[in-house]
Amino acid sequence: MALGQTQREQVERRIRAAVDRLLAGQIPEGGACDVKTLAREAGISRAALYRTWGHLEDEFEKRRAAAWAAGHQPDPREARIGRLRDLNQRLTSKLACTRTELTLLKEQHRRLLSVLAAKDDELERLRRELSTFARTHAGPACDNEQGDDTGSVIPLSRR
């Protein structure tokens, strides 16, 4: 069924009004700033929008792209998605840095445990050496197995 001139003008006004509302951020519940919502808001089918009013659909796409390029996000969901994508990218980058740092810290921890174990082995060896030295060099007057000469220390008098 062909539309009369008056009907065509009415539909075109409804499409233009819907374009203005969507680009102003007046997104209906369950809608988005897209062609599907534009057609629904104008009260026509998407096929009719593409077939009969394709020039208005093109104008809508150009104005929407210009708004996005200017930093204006008419669709709050799209703006939120953009912010969440940016946040996700920053957090992913931070996580990668944290993982790298954790790997380095684990390696440093492993090295320090190795050094600590070597120092503990050296300390045990020195204790055994000292014990052996004390036993071989201790005279008959020494009762202490450690080789300490604390038995010959004179206590300080109390005042």
Side-chain angles (χ1 to χ4, degrees):
M1 170 164 94
L3 295 176
Q5 184 62 27
T6 305
Q7 289 175 317
R8 289 179 64 82
E9 289 172 359
Q10 281 181 332
V11 171
E12 188 167 327
R13 278 194 301 272
R14 287 195 326 248
I15 294 170
R16 289 186 184 281
V19 166
D20 291 340
R21 284 193 311 273
L22 290 176
L23 292 177
Q26 298 173 12
I27 311 297
E29 185 71 29
C33 189
D34 60 4
V35 174
K36 179 179 175 182
T37 305
L38 174 63
R40 189 174 69 217
E41 285 292 295
I44 61 173
S45 70
R46 266 194 291 170
L49 180 62
Y50 289 125
R51 184 180 59 244
T52 309
W53 290 281
H55 66 286
L56 294 177
E57 185 267 333
D58 291 340
E59 179 184 324
F60 170 70
E61 294 290 352
K62 288 176 188 172
R63 287 180 59 192
R64 184 175 67 168
W68 285 350
H72 173 67
Q73 193 66 266
D75 190 344
R77 290 180 322 153
E78 289 293 326
R80 185 166 189 226
I81 288 170
R83 286 191 307 271
L84 290 173
R85 280 189 180 128
D86 291 343
L87 177 62
N88 185 41
Q89 186 166 356
R90 285 194 315 267
L91 290 175
T92 301
S93 176
K94 187 175 182 177
L95 179 62
C97 290
T98 301
R99 283 183 175 158
T100 302
E101 184 179 356
L102 178 63
T103 301
L104 293 172
L105 288 172
K106 281 181 177 180
E107 179 61 26
Q108 183 179 14
H109 180 256
R110 188 192 60 74
R111 281 193 315 268
L112 289 173
L113 282 177
S114 177
V115 168
L116 185 60
K119 294 294 183 184
D120 190 52
D121 289 346
E122 182 180 2
L123 183 60
E124 287 300 315
R125 182 187 59 79
L126 290 171
R127 283 183 179 153
R128 283 192 307 272
E129 239 179 71
L130 181 60
S131 178
T132 304
F133 179 80
R135 272 188 253 121
T136 58
H137 291 83
C142 185
D143 294 330
N144 190 346
E145 286 187 23
Q146 291 291 325
D148 288 346
D149 59 349
T150 56
S152 63
V153 173
I154 302 171
L156 294 174
S157 63
R158 294 187 183 199
R159 298 181 190 175

